[in-house]
Amino acid sequence: MKKYDLLKVLGITFLVIMLISWVVPAGVYSNSTFVSQEATSPIGLYDIFRTPLITIATFIQYGILFLAIGGFYGVLNKTGVYAKLVDRITDKWQKKQKKFLMITVAIFALLSSLFGLNSVIFILVPFFATILLKLGYKKITALASTVGAMLVGQIGCTLGLETWGYLRVVFYQMGYDITMTTLILVRIILFLITVLLFALLLSKNTKNEDKKAKKDEKVEIPLYEENTSKKGFVPLIIIGLFVIALLFVGVYNWYYTFDLDVFANLYETVTQFEVNGYTLFDNLLGNISVIGYWGNYDIAVLLVIASLVISWVYSIKFTDAIDGFVKGMKEMLVPALYGMLASIIFAVFLNMSSNFVYTIVNQFTESGEFSLPGVLGSALVTSFTYNDFPTLVSYFMNFFSLYDTNVIPVVALIFQAIYGLVMIIAPTSIFLLVGLSYFKVSYKEWFNYIWKYALLMLGVVIVIAFIATMLV
């Protein structure tokens, strides 16, 4: 990857948005009505230098998340048994590389579709990527089968919180009856088609790749050290599985998705427990969030705690554990930086009361009538500029209110699928940019790798959306 490749791509993207802001008038939705400001709301020259700093300050939670992931793997490397576990799995699948590749794609896509918790799923990326790289696959293949598959799963989201789950919340606030099973059969079909086509892409691009790679020099694997230990890796597996399972339960909002308040009630019961009038656990636990409402900071905290537990179990000296954690963070420093800067366009609009995106969306929707091209265009523009889906749907909820109740599920389906599709290819995709930086794959190389698939999937989404309109 050429030096500063991603930084150049981000810079060009920012400058393009800056130029558009000087040409297209700004607008805003007020009480379900678009209000044009008539004048533009331009991004000034000073903002070129100010916005990156604001972006880092606003989205530092992503930086902390990825640094914590790096630190966690740094401690794993100190145990010596992590390398032993990786070698054991690699040896087992040495003659079945293609099968392991497809299993990896299925795992990441399915987890993303069912849960939609990319911040948690990304924790698994270094582990699976290490095995794929040791099996002889190229870095872009490891990127595609992990981060790429995770983003593919968003297109065909079934029960995922970060797309359909948040759509359900917004529609509920607007009085629309949308559940997690609305159009579920259509979304399952979309998921299957999406993953199948992606698997075919990988299969075509990796033909004989593993066999050729055996003759090449040893590849440098990020967040991995060849280390040996006589200790067993079973405790590591148990701790790792427990942490991942706990994070999935803790971050997935069960109330937003299925109206389950069992965890909220349990939290209230525990925190309100008193001993002689003293709320013992409330004070003992501190400011821990309710299960289902955990965020990136909570994930980072749990990874730090897990690192300490693993260090204790494997008798790693505290200073050695710190050294490993710091070394892992250093390896993830640049990816973490890109994880924050990926939201540079989003940060611009967060600080504007009105902007040109509303004006463009209004051009697609001003008739008030449902139009497949109009909804598609709106979804593409908003997904590119508002790369945080919960914010996207909340900021444009007035846009959804333009349509009749019967087509709302189709509108939701389109926004979900298009958002996932944009995140696969756009330079404003947080996890894509982190993945590109982590694997040291250039944006140009990835774009050439994925654009045909993205274009094909756009056609698939259009066809399925059209069919869905016939079913509602």
Side-chain angles (χ1 to χ4, degrees):
M1 182 177 73
K2 292 183 178 180
K3 198 173 184 180
Y4 306 127
D5 167 77
L6 293 180
L7 198 60
K8 292 175 183 176
V9 172
L10 275 172
I12 293 171
T13 304
F14 181 74
L15 289 176
V16 169
I17 296 296
M18 178 181 176
L19 291 174
I20 295 175
S21 73
W22 281 80
V23 177
V24 181
V28 68
Y29 277 100
S30 177
N31 297 322
S32 300
T33 303
F34 173 76
V35 179
S36 175
Q37 304 299 307
E38 296 184 358
T40 60
S41 182
I43 301 171
L45 295 175
Y46 185 71
D47 295 318
I48 295 177
F49 304 97
R50 182 173 180 267
T51 302
L53 299 178
I54 293 176
T55 304
I56 293 173
T58 305
F59 297 96
I60 194 172
Q61 57 173 306
Y62 284 104
I64 292 174
L65 168 69
F66 295 118
L67 289 176
I69 292 174
F72 176 70
Y73 276 92
V75 173
L76 291 186
N77 284 318
K78 285 291 183 180
T79 65
V81 299
Y82 175 62
K84 184 190 291 188
L85 173 62
V86 168
D87 288 340
R88 182 71 62 87
I89 297 174
T90 303
D91 291 340
K92 181 179 180 180
W93 293 93
Q94 193 64 59
K95 296 182 179 180
K96 298 179 287 185
Q97 296 99 325
K98 188 75 72 175
K99 188 174 182 180
F100 184 84
L101 179 70
M102 294 305 158
I103 289 174
T104 301
V105 171
I107 289 173
F108 278 88
L110 192 60
L111 287 175
S112 179
S113 177
L114 291 176
F115 295 95
L117 307 177
N118 289 344
S119 295
V120 178
I121 299 172
F122 197 91
I123 298 172
L124 300 173
V125 169
F127 174 66
F128 279 88
T130 298
I131 298 171
L132 288 167
L133 291 171
K134 287 179 74 69
L135 285 173
Y137 286 107
K138 296 177 182 178
K139 287 187 176 181
I140 194 169
T141 302
L143 168 66
S145 56
T146 54
V147 178
M150 178 179 73
L151 298 175
V152 160
Q154 279 192 310
I155 300 175
C157 171
T158 51
L159 302 176
L161 168 68
E162 292 179 353
T163 46
W164 196 266
Y166 285 115
L167 282 166
R168 177 182 182 266
V169 173
V170 169
F171 289 142
Y172 176 80
Q173 294 172 348
M174 297 171 61
Y176 295 118
D177 185 20
I178 299 292
T179 69
M180 294 303 291
T181 56
T182 301
L183 289 179
I184 187 64
L185 182 58
V186 175
R187 289 186 285 130
I188 290 175
I189 292 173
L190 176 60
F191 170 75
L192 294 174
I193 293 174
T194 302
V195 176
L196 177 60
L197 290 176
F198 191 70
L200 290 174
L201 169 72
L202 275 174
S203 181
K204 177 182 177 182
N205 289 340
T206 58
K207 190 175 182 180
N208 298 321
E209 179 180 305
D210 47 355
K211 295 178 182 179
K212 292 179 181 179
K214 292 177 183 177
K215 300 178 182 179
D216 296 337
E217 295 182 1
K218 190 175 181 180
V219 65
E220 180 184 353
I221 303 175
L223 291 180
Y224 177 75
E225 293 179 6
E226 292 287 356
N227 205 345
T228 57
S229 174
K230 294 181 179 180
K231 295 182 179 180
F233 48 69
V234 173
L236 182 64
I237 294 175
I238 294 173
I239 295 171
L241 290 176
F242 175 78
V243 169
I244 293 296
L246 181 59
L247 284 174
F248 273 114
V249 174
V251 180
Y252 190 85
N253 195 303
W254 304 93
Y255 184 75
Y256 281 3
T257 51
F258 298 105
D259 295 322
L260 296 176
D261 55 5
V262 59
F263 292 115
N265 293 336
L266 177 63
Y267 177 86
E268 184 176 357
T269 300
V270 171
T271 55
Q272 296 304 312
F273 177 77
E274 296 183 356
V275 177
N276 294 327
Y278 183 78
T279 52
L280 177 63
F281 294 109
D282 184 33
N283 290 284
L284 183 63
L285 293 174
N287 296 318
I288 185 172
S289 302
V290 180
I291 290 178
Y293 292 85
W294 291 3
N296 288 336
Y297 291 122
D298 300 289
I299 297 172
V301 168
L302 195 58
L303 288 176
V304 172
I305 295 173
S307 299
L308 293 173
V309 172
I310 291 171
S311 300
W312 174 72
V313 170
Y314 284 97
S315 303
I316 301 173
K317 293 181 180 179
F318 182 72
T319 53
D320 290 338
I322 294 297
D323 287 341
F325 199 89
V326 171
K327 184 177 181 181
M329 287 198 301
K330 286 180 178 178
E331 283 196 61
M332 285 296 289
L333 184 59
V334 175
L337 179 62
Y338 282 116
M340 293 181 284
L341 289 178
S343 299
I344 190 167
I345 307 303
F346 180 36
V348 170
F349 296 133
L350 277 178
N351 291 279
M352 289 183 172
S353 58
S354 61
N355 60 67
F356 68 81
V357 178
Y358 290 102
T359 303
I360 294 175
V361 169
N362 181 64
Q363 294 299 310
F364 288 117
T365 61
E366 60 182 346
S367 67
E369 298 289 331
F370 173 80
S371 164
L372 191 56
V375 178
L376 284 166
S378 300
L380 284 167
V381 172
T382 54
S383 295
F384 186 88
T385 50
Y386 287 74
N387 63 349
D388 180 73
F389 195 75
T391 305
L392 187 159
V393 294
S394 62
Y395 274 40
F396 290 88
M397 61 188 305
N398 286 313
F399 157 75
F400 294 116
S401 66
L402 296 173
Y403 301 116
D404 294 333
T405 303
N406 63 316
V407 297
I408 284 296
V410 180
V411 174
L413 173 66
I414 293 172
F415 266 78
Q416 164 198 294
I418 294 298
Y419 176 79
L421 188 57
V422 170
M423 292 301 104
I424 288 178
I425 199 168
T428 53
S429 173
I430 294 172
F431 293 96
L432 173 60
L433 259 62
V434 173
L436 290 171
S437 178
Y438 176 78
F439 288 101
K440 293 182 172 60
V441 174
S442 71
Y443 181 78
K444 180 180 179 181
E445 186 180 0
W446 175 253
F447 185 87
N448 291 333
Y449 185 94
I450 204 70
W451 75 268
K452 291 182 181 178
Y453 170 80
L455 194 60
L456 177 62
M457 278 309 306
L458 178 60
V460 170
V461 170
I462 292 173
V463 171
I464 288 183
F466 178 76
I467 294 174
T469 59
M470 304 293 104
L471 302 176
V472 295

